[in-house]
Amino acid sequence: MAGGAVLAATDVRAWVPYAAVAAVAALSGLTALTRHGRNRRGSATDPMGHTAEFPETTADDGRNSTARTPRTESRADGAPVAPGRSVYEMTRPVRPAPVRGLADDAPFTVRAAVHSQVAHLASPGLLGHPDAVHIPLTGHNLLLTLTATGAEEVVLRSLRAEVTDRLPLRADGVSLARTRMPDLVMSADLLESVQRAVRAYRRLRGPDVAVLLDASPAPVLAETAAGSALPLTAAPGTSAILTCAPVTDDGRWVRWRLTAEIMCAGRVWRPWWDLTVTATTGLTRFGPDAAPTPAPVHALHPDHYDPGDPEGRRAASETDGTFEVVAHTSRDGRGVLVMPSRPDPDPEPPGAAEAIRRAAALTRAADAYRSAAEAGSGQAAYLLAGLVRDRGDLDGAARWYERAAARRVPAAYNNLGVLAMLRGDLDAAERWYRRGMDAGDWAAAVGLGVVREKRGDEAQAEELWRLAGKRDVPNADQNLAVLYQRQGRHREAGELFTRAAGAGDVQAAVHVGLRCHEAGDRAGAERWWRTAADAGSAEGAFYLGLLLVRDGRAGEGERLWERAAERLGTPGRAVARTPSGPEAGTTYRVGGAAESGEVYAAHHLGLLHRERGDHDAALGWWTLAAGAGHVDSVFGLCELYLNERGDLAECLRWAYVALEIEGVPVGRVEALAGGMRQVAEQLAGAGGAYEPDPGAAVEVCSLAAEAYRRLTAHDSAYRPAWEEAVRRLVALAEASGSPRARQRAASAAARLRAAG
């Protein structure tokens, strides 16, 4: 603007001077933008055009970002270490280091490059440095390449290593090289970056010399030293490479300088490089037969230089079976989280801890928890969600768990996954379980394994449960054992069941008891089933009771069954309930199943009382079991109400329930239809087992027709029986003279015609 004003004031009218002023202004603007880009707190400028290895932002907006605000921890010696919260794929294992103090007219080139497989990363500004800092781990390769570009040979005569600073280490994450694709990749957006990392992997060279940075005085490598790799000579037009392994035991951010003495054509040059290193790995080694332990880098990557094994003779078997655990990635797909340490929840509001303590002692704890949760307490929201869930309000529980998750209560993610599983929403369950894993909750890994298994990915489910089992996470070994059993890996399944049972897994104890019983070890079966029953397992109580009853100890067995079955409700109240209509009786407990120990115990109690002639007790226990969908109990109620009580209405009600239960064997439905048709014929005329009742005959024949209709839907061979049942129903309805009976018969006939 100033240049244009001057030109105008001097009455310059040619366009060329104005164009020159505009060009200078544009160039100045670009220069200012470039300087601003170099100085701002963001990703470092990369002149080689490489992709940044970690996200620029450190904000956590709740959307699975791997960038976290770092938290410094300390070692036993007081030195801070990097938290290692985030792990990123190392797609640039070789990084050049800029040379200093070398004139442009030197008749040679000398380059230094850091080749590492594990390195800490610090984002711009984190260590007071304007650029991102890449801190390789001890034992990596420092590659010095000397090239004679002129007509004279070049000789590297000596190297001097000197530590310039030891500073506290803070890092955003760890960059990790990959030798192969991992067994477990938990995020689809991770695949491409992992593939690039595998392609970029190169083994480290065996070092020519170890640079011991902790030595005092500063180490000097010279051609006169015994066994020295120097001098390093490059003939005209050739290159020579020297491989060094920087070594330190210091877990801090160690900054050091390497100075070379190079001779060529009678002159001496002394270039240097400013480098960095640390001994802190921030990683954990997972082995198949050992607990997870922190590991030095050479334990994870055997080709890293190990000062304790300078010849590199460590047995390869020591590293076999190492797992690579990877969790969810960042939004841009470049950052990868390993199982991190569990983060602290967000700070609780003032007074929340005292409010929660008081609430725990109140009978109306929900109100107190709600007040604290609405004031911003994540812990109160989590506890309130549990109470709401126990009342059966899954939607309300989800709302409070989401509040707790927003306050970073790690277990809330897992419980949201559980609620999604109860609704059958596998996509939502997987999202929540992955977030729980990102928060360091291994219980979420078990849940994610269930999701993956349901999606047919048994390999990933196995790996998740195996890793969680190493940390003694409940249900991990049990789930893995069931998977092995289904796959026919019976020996492995048996070992896992036994290990899980010994660790207190009641479901595993039940299974071990079954295995003992199948093997003829009745004492072992009783021991394991009693262990499960004493721990509150209804299934364990059922099997133990069955064993005792068959051994003649009916009294003790019956008490075990009652203790288990009463969780379904009170038998007397179940008998008093008299709903009507074909839909009645199909109530299910939250989390209940027709195959549960409670239901089996209730059914066998019904059998026991039926044999004794105590029909009231039998009806009570069978009603409880039938309400949970137990097929044998439903048919038992039909028979008992019809033949012992003469209550045709209750018999028909439970018969309709039987038709609604999925998975009822076809033979049982066919037997029910045939039996009802016979009863209808006896009710229609004299001389049968029942008093003639045309209206009741229509009701019974209508049920038979409905049963044959459902059988025909699965097998057209039942079509003639259905047609005959409908014809008989129409005839009975006409004979009864009841408008309601004629309407029911017409409806059945219409369904028959509609079916073609």
Side-chain angles (χ1 to χ4, degrees), residues 701 705 720-733 749 752:
C701 192
W722 181 22
E723 293 173 347
E724 173 58 28
V726 171
R727 282 196 296 270
R728 185 56 180 154
L729 174 60
V730 171
L732 290 173
L752 178 64

Side-chain angles (χ1 to χ4, degrees), residues 234-484:
T238 66
S239 298
I241 299 176
L242 181 72
T243 304
C244 305
V247 175
T248 181
D249 290 327
D250 197 326
R252 291 173 291 179
W253 176 28
V254 180
R255 300 169 68 177
W256 65 289
R257 175 171 292 181
L258 180 68
T259 304
E261 183 178 281
I262 301 174
M263 179 176 288
C264 180
R267 292 181 58 186
V268 176
W269 284 265
R270 290 184 176 84
W272 72 87
W273 298 265
D274 288 325
L275 303 162
T276 185
V277 69
T278 185
T280 299
T281 66
L283 297 175
T284 297
R285 183 172 185 270
F286 292 83
D289 301 310
T293 56
V297 66
H298 55 73
L300 296 162
H301 292 276
D303 50 345
H304 262 66
Y305 179 76
D306 179 5
D309 182 26
E311 301 300 324
R313 296 173 179 173
R314 187 157 57 94
S317 59
E318 293 182 22
T319 61
D320 289 349
T322 299
F323 305 138
E324 292 181 350
V325 188
V326 181
H328 203 68
T329 68
S330 62
R331 290 190 299 270
D332 59 10
R334 292 195 294 265
V336 188
L337 276 176
V338 295
M339 301 299 184
S341 59
R342 181 177 295 223
D344 294 330
D346 286 346
E348 291 280 277
E354 179 62 22
I356 291 172
R357 187 189 65 77
R358 291 197 307 269
L362 297 175
T363 55
R364 296 179 59 83
D367 293 337
Y369 285 145
R370 182 176 287 104
S371 298
E374 289 174 346
S377 170
Q379 295 292 338
Y382 178 81
L383 294 169
L384 177 59
L387 295 179
V388 173
R389 176 185 170 183
D390 290 343
R391 295 201 299 260
D393 182 2
L394 300 187
D395 292 337
R399 286 193 297 272
W400 288 110
Y401 277 135
E402 286 175 2
R403 280 204 184 191
R407 303 293 297 177
R408 297 206 315 160
V409 178
Y413 301 125
N414 177 76
N415 289 11
L416 283 164
V418 172
L419 293 180
M421 290 286 289
L422 290 175
R423 295 191 184 95
D425 189 347
L426 295 184
D427 291 338
E430 183 162 350
R431 286 195 302 273
W432 285 117
Y433 282 138
R434 289 191 187 281
R435 291 192 64 180
M437 291 176 66
D438 287 354
D441 188 357
W442 280 90
V446 177
L448 180 59
V450 175
V451 174
R452 299 312 306 169
E453 189 268 340
K454 288 183 176 293
R455 293 187 185 278
D457 189 354
E458 292 187 352
Q460 189 169 120
E462 177 181 345
E463 189 73 358
L464 283 163
W465 291 333
R466 185 149 52 98
L467 291 169
K470 295 295 182 183
R471 291 179 172 246
D472 297 324
V473 182
N475 297 322
D477 283 340
Q478 162 72 14
N479 291 352
L480 186 56
V482 171
L483 178 64
Y484 284 163

Side-chain angles (χ1 to χ4, degrees), residues 62-127:
R63 293 185 293 167
N64 290 335
S65 173
T66 61
R68 311 259 183 180
T69 301
R71 182 182 64 187
T72 302
E73 301 169 356
S74 297
R75 301 190 312 173
D77 60 3
V81 300
R85 291 287 182 83
S86 302
V87 173
Y88 306 102
E89 301 299 330
M90 183 179 283
T91 57
R92 292 177 56 200
V94 179
R95 291 170 172 264
V99 63
R100 313 290 185 188
L102 186 64
D104 293 337
D105 60 350
F108 61 87
T109 60
V110 59
R111 293 184 174 88
V114 175
H115 182 190
S116 181
Q117 292 166 340
V118 181
H120 282 296
L121 301 175
S123 60
L126 184 62
L127 294 175

